[in-house]
Amino acid sequence: MIQVQDLCKSYHDKKRGTVNAVDRISFVCQPGEIYGLLGPNGAGKTTTLRLLSTVLTPDSGMAIVAGHDVARQPSLVRANIGFLSGDTGLYRRLTGREILRYFGSLYGIEKGLLNRRVQELSNILSMEDFIDARTDKLSTGQKQRISIARTVVHDPPVLILDEPTAGLDIIASRAIMEFILQARSTGKTIIFSTHVMSEAERLCDQIGIIHQGRMWAHGTQADLRRLYQCDDLESVFVRAVNLEPLPSLRV
Ligand SMILES: Nc1ncnc2c1ncn2[C@@H]1O[C@H](COP(=O)(O)OP(=O)(O)OP(=O)(O)O)[C@@H](O)[C@H]1O
Ligand SMILES: [Mg+2]
C-alpha cells in the first residue's frame, strides 16, 4: 500500500527561485488498486513518483510505501518497489533476456526461478520476437517493454510507473495496459502517471489531478465526474486544472 501525507518537495533554481514541485500532497493507494496521477506538464507527477521511489528525499511530510517510510527506510522501500522512470536506461550491448537475468540476479533470485520469471514476462509482454536481440537494435516500444519487465523482474508488491506508455503505439500501449491490469488482479499496489485520458479511464480505480504541485482533486472516476459535472475524464481534467482547488477536496 502507498500512504502519502502532506508531502513536500521544492527545488531551488537560480533563475526561477524556489519551485514548489510537490506541495502538501496526500493520498492513499490500496493493494489491488491502480492510482492514476494526471496533471499538465510541470505539475509535479514525476517529482511525486521519485519521492515515492526514494530517488528524492522529501522536504517534509510522510510517505509510507509497502509498510516502510521513504525517508527513514529507503532500502526497504526499494526492495519492495518496481520503479519505471522516463530515463530508465538499458545496456545497449546486452539482449533483453541478458538484462533481465542480470537485474534478477542482483535481487538474489535463484537461477531456475529467474529463468522461469523471464519467460513469464516475455509471454505477458509479448517479447518473444525480440527478447534475444541487442537492445540498441530495438524500437522505442520494444525497449519500453524490456524496461517494464526489468522494473518488475523481482515481482515487487508495489509498482511505480512514470508515463509507462509514453511514445508507444496502440498495440504496445495495450500490451502494457494489459500487464498493469494483470498486476492489479494479483493484488499489486500500482501508481502511474499519464497524459492519455483513455488509458486513465480504462485503468484507474482512483485518480489524483495534480497542478502546480498541489492535489487539485482526487477520487474515483465517478466521484470526479459528479464533482465537475462532466461525462468524460478529459473534460474533468480540463475543468479541474482551470479552476481553483475545491475546498471540499483540497488535500
Ligand atoms: N531537478 C530540478 N531542478 C529544478 N526544478 C525542477 C527539477 N525537476 C523538476 N523541476 C520542476 O518541478 C516542477 C515539477 O516537475 P515534474 O517533472 O515533477 O513535473 P511533471 O508533472 O512530471 O511534468 P511532465 O508532465 O512534463 O512530465 C516543474 O516546475 C519542474 O520545472
Ligand atoms: Mg513527468
Side-chain angles (χ1 to χ4, degrees):
M1 149 171 181
I2 299 172
Q3 231 181 321
V4 176
Q5 189 67 48
D6 294 326
L7 202 62
C8 291
K9 179 74 187 178
S10 56
Y11 294 109
H12 301 282
D13 190 271
K14 270 190 189 155
K15 289 200 173 136
R16 294 161 76 196
T18 299
V19 177
N20 294 317
V22 171
D23 188 4
R24 288 163 289 159
I25 278 182
S26 304
F27 63 87
V28 173
C29 177
Q30 305 280 359
E33 251 183 25
I34 301 176
Y35 194 100
L37 276 186
L38 306 183
N41 292 136
K45 303 178 296 297
T46 295
T47 306
T48 302
L49 298 181
R50 285 190 173 151
L51 289 166
L52 296 179
S53 313
T54 78
V55 175
L56 294 172
T57 313
D59 296 335
S60 61
M62 181 198 75
I64 307 288
V65 176
H68 305 290
D69 186 304
V70 294
R72 293 200 200 105
Q73 303 159 301
S75 53
L76 287 172
V77 170
R78 280 197 289 274
N80 284 286
I81 62 169
F83 176 44
L84 178 81
S85 73
D87 49 18
T88 302
L90 295 173
Y91 297 106
R92 297 165 47 84
R93 289 163 184 274
L94 297 184
T95 69
R97 194 184 302 276
E98 287 164 347
I99 290 172
L100 297 180
R101 282 186 182 152
Y102 172 68
F103 277 92
S105 66
L106 290 185
Y107 283 105
I109 307 172
E110 178 272 319
K111 205 171 165 191
L113 179 63
L114 180 55
N115 286 339
R116 286 197 297 281
R117 177 75 180 147
V118 172
Q119 201 50 51
E120 183 193 20
L121 287 168
S122 175
N123 294 340
I124 299 173
L125 287 161
S126 308
M127 303 191 300
E128 294 304 322
D129 289 350
F130 56 86
I131 193 168
D132 292 307
R134 270 173 54 152
T135 59
D136 58 357
K137 308 238 189 280
L138 300 182
S139 76
T140 310
Q142 291 168 335
K143 280 185 197 148
Q144 185 72 344
R145 284 190 243 186
I146 303 273
S147 294
I148 291 192
R150 190 200 116 170
T151 301
V152 299
V153 71
H154 54 306
D155 200 20
V158 176
L159 306 185
I160 300 173
L161 310 171
D162 196 7
E163 295 195 44
T165 63
L168 302 190
D169 72 21
I170 293 167
I171 307 296
S173 297
R174 285 177 80 105
I176 285 164
M177 284 196 279
E178 288 302 325
F179 173 78
I180 292 173
L181 288 170
Q182 197 172 340
R184 171 173 68 184
S185 70
T186 63
K188 309 279 185 207
T189 306
I190 304 158
I191 181 164
F192 81 112
S193 68
T194 185
H195 288 289
V196 185
M197 296 297 140
S198 57
E199 216 169 78
E201 248 161 3
R202 177 149 174 240
L203 296 182
C204 298
D205 300 296
Q206 304 273 342
I207 286 177
I209 299 179
I210 302 190
H211 186 33
Q212 297 168 347
R214 302 287 310 278
M215 188 66 94
W216 235 237
H218 72 168
T220 63
Q221 297 194 44
D223 291 340
L224 295 176
R225 288 200 187 102
R226 210 175 311 118
L227 182 70
Y228 289 103
Q229 299 176 354
C230 297
D231 291 334
D232 64 292
L233 193 57
E234 186 170 314
S235 307
V236 166
F237 178 83
V238 171
R239 285 203 180 170
V241 300
N242 285 319
L243 289 171
E244 286 294 298
L246 296 172
S248 60
L249 270 173
R250 198 180 296 174
V251 287

